[in-house]
Amino acid sequence: MPKRPCAITLTPDDSTILCADKFGDVYSLPLVSQVYEPGAVNGIDANGTSGTSNHKQKQKQKPFAPSATSLTVHTKRNRDALRQQQNISSPKAEKKVLNFDHQLLLGHVSLLTDVACVTLASSSQEPRNYILTSDRDEHIRVSRNIPQAHIVEGYCLGHTEFITKLCVPPVYPHLLISGGGDDYIILWDWSTGKMQQQLDLKSLVAKLRDTHLGAETFSNGSAEAKDTETEVDSGLKICVSNIQALETHKEPSDHPRVEIIVTCEGIPAFFTFTLGANAHMQFNESIHTESNVIDLTVLRDQSSIIYSMDTYHQPFSIDASAETGKKNSLSLVGSLSYCAESKTWKENQALQANLVAATRECADSHVHVPQAGSAKGKSLTELLYGLESLRKRGSDIETDV
């Protein structure tokens, strides 16, 4: 790809890949594509010439040499320019041409963070597809689908920090849940651009962290405890790393009931919300895990989730390393299943056993190769926790002013 990809998704017909990159562009690629000769796409290179003639031109190309010499140049400025040209040992490298089918659909003026493709049914017309994109500048754009992706249908504006994740529940395609560097997540009716609900995450993270760090040992109602709590909350920054939707069961009104699972960088927990047909989300519970959650995915047919954890760092930290003994005893993966009868999440022991066995087999078959800077943990921290770097410097100062 021209730039580093940061998000991908499939169109509803599962025939086209939508790939968003950090430069702010979205490309479409066929799922089953044809690869062409290097340096040419559809037999034509970037200059509009055939691949064969372009190859001959490269063979005849000679090293660069300035036409002027010291005998023909007299002024100081021209002599300096000639000296710089003589230091050029080879011609400038030509721009690499991709050798597979791809098409530029749309672009943002900011770093793009996530992309989603949604089909919205209508009683008056045929179903239409839309492309939803988010960026670092707090924008969520609603665009038409291919081949009219350049047409903007609207925006969802309400975030004050960068956006990292978009989630469209399959059973409620007109709704969108978004989150990022703000203290909350937002529920939208993206078809109208209207904000339906704003749900606080910071208080949930703060309560869980205080419980884990023993902050509840302060006597209730004391001024010291209140001041400490206020100080901790003011310095707490959260970053949403993933949002997933899982249909669990149908309500008495025959409307689907959806569980929304949210994770944050450097937080050893899930935050679950319940979404009903009335376009209203309600907090369900916080599920504490052994280590910081890195990523998760859903198994819709089993009403389960699988998640990976960071055993290298301490819980609630992306810098401090865990104790060596604890690193070896903690599991890298976990699984939970939703029980519709009790409306709670429980560990899926059978699935958990298979995951643990698979990770151990994978670890035994690979040899660990130390990376540069791994002694200080820099490379691993940057690999696992890169979303917080999207936060703009000085945003707190501007907000206070």
Side-chain angles (χ1 to χ4, degrees):
M1 299 302 297
K3 300 293 180 179
R4 191 193 329 176
C6 59
I8 61 172
T9 189
L10 288 173
T11 54
D13 58 1
D14 293 335
S15 64
T16 305
I17 301 173
L18 299 182
C19 178
D21 62 30
K22 288 185 175 293
F23 196 69
D25 297 329
V26 177
Y27 290 85
S28 66
L29 304 86
L31 185 61
V32 181
S33 61
Q34 179 181 356
V35 179
Y36 302 97
E37 293 295 330
V41 177
N42 295 331
I44 304 297
D45 65 5
N47 299 321
T49 59
S50 65
T52 305
S53 62
N54 186 55
H55 179 67
K56 292 180 179 179
Q57 290 177 4
K58 288 184 178 180
Q59 287 182 336
K60 296 180 181 179
Q61 193 174 21
K62 297 180 180 180
F64 173 78
S67 58
T69 66
S70 58
L71 299 177
T72 59
V73 174
H74 305 286
T75 63
K76 184 177 183 300
R77 178 185 298 178
N78 289 344
R79 284 199 299 267
D80 292 340
L82 176 61
R83 196 175 298 109
Q84 294 177 2
Q85 293 179 7
Q86 291 174 341
N87 293 332
I88 299 177
S89 58
S90 60
K92 185 178 180 180
E94 295 184 1
K95 185 177 181 180
K96 184 179 178 181
V97 179
L98 303 182
N99 62 335
F100 54 86
D101 289 328
H102 64 284
Q103 180 183 1
L104 178 63
L105 299 181
L106 57 92
H108 285 231
V109 295
S110 178
L111 190 151
L112 206 148
T113 55
D114 203 6
V115 59
C117 192
V118 191
T119 300
L120 194 61
S122 176
S123 58
S124 59
Q125 57 185 359
E126 296 182 358
R128 298 181 61 179
N129 294 334
Y130 297 88
I131 300 176
L132 311 181
T133 50
S134 61
D135 61 27
R136 188 189 182 190
D137 287 342
E138 310 98 35
H139 302 141
I140 300 176
R141 182 195 295 183
V142 180
S143 306
R144 292 187 183 180
N145 195 32
I146 307 170
Q148 297 180 317
H150 59 281
I151 300 178
V152 179
E153 289 285 338
Y155 290 89
C156 297
L157 304 177
H159 284 278
T160 59
E161 289 286 352
F162 60 94
I163 304 169
T164 57
K165 196 65 180 176
L166 303 177
C167 176
V168 178
V171 293
Y172 297 124
H174 66 289
L175 297 179
L176 167 70
I177 302 101
S178 63
D182 288 304
D183 298 336
Y184 47 82
I185 58 175
I186 298 179
L187 175 66
W188 307 88
D189 182 346
W190 62 263
S191 60
T192 61
K194 182 180 179 181
M195 183 191 300
Q196 300 290 107
Q197 198 175 358
Q198 182 174 299
L199 298 102
D200 181 45
L201 269 182
K202 185 174 181 179
S203 61
L204 301 177
V205 175
K207 181 179 180 180
L208 187 69
R209 191 180 70 167
D210 291 346
T211 302
H212 176 79
L213 299 178
E216 291 184 348
T217 56
F218 292 104
S219 57
N220 294 331
S222 66
E224 183 180 359
K226 291 182 180 180
D227 293 341
T228 304
E229 182 179 358
T230 303
E231 182 179 354
V232 170
D233 289 348
S234 62
L236 177 62
K237 293 181 180 180
I238 63 173
C239 175
V240 174
S241 59
N242 206 336
I243 305 176
Q244 294 287 344
L246 178 65
E247 181 183 357
T248 54
H249 62 281
K250 293 185 179 296
E251 297 177 342
S253 58
D254 200 37
H255 291 292
R257 184 185 179 95
V258 179
E259 285 291 308
I260 305 298
I261 307 103
V262 181
T263 61
C264 300
E265 270 195 344
I267 303 298
F270 301 99
F271 303 98
T272 64
F273 301 81
T274 302
L275 174 62
N278 57 352
H280 181 79
M281 283 179 60
Q282 183 177 1
F283 173 68
N284 189 2
E285 61 177 327
S286 300
I287 304 175
H288 189 268
T289 57
E290 292 180 343
S291 308
N292 297 337
V293 178
I294 301 175
D295 202 1
L296 72 97
T297 187
V298 297
L299 304 178
R300 304 188 189 282
D301 56 340
Q302 301 183 30
S303 296
S304 303
I305 61 174
I306 297 176
Y307 58 94
S308 58
M309 293 179 289
D310 171 24
T311 60
Y312 183 84
H313 297 94
Q314 294 181 8
F316 296 98
S317 175
I318 63 174
D319 299 317
S321 299
E323 298 178 6
T324 306
K326 291 184 177 180
K327 290 181 184 179
N328 300 328
S329 62
L330 297 176
S331 175
L332 294 172
V333 292
S335 63
L336 295 173
S337 295
Y338 185 81
C339 181
E341 296 179 356
S342 60
K343 298 181 180 180
T344 57
W345 291 89
K346 299 181 180 179
E347 182 179 356
N348 189 328
Q349 296 182 355
L351 183 58
Q352 178 68 17
N354 293 334
L355 291 172
V356 172
T359 52
R360 286 178 179 174
E361 181 180 356
C362 181
D364 294 339
S365 61
H366 288 76
V367 179
H368 175 68
V369 179
Q371 299 181 10
S374 59
K376 297 181 180 180
K378 291 183 179 180
S379 59
L380 187 60
T381 299
E382 293 173 355
L383 177 65
L384 299 180
Y385 307 106
L387 296 177
E388 181 61 34
S389 62
L390 296 174
R391 195 181 300 274
K392 297 178 182 179
R393 297 182 180 180
S395 58
D396 295 340
I397 298 176
E398 294 175 2
T399 303
D400 295 340
V401 173

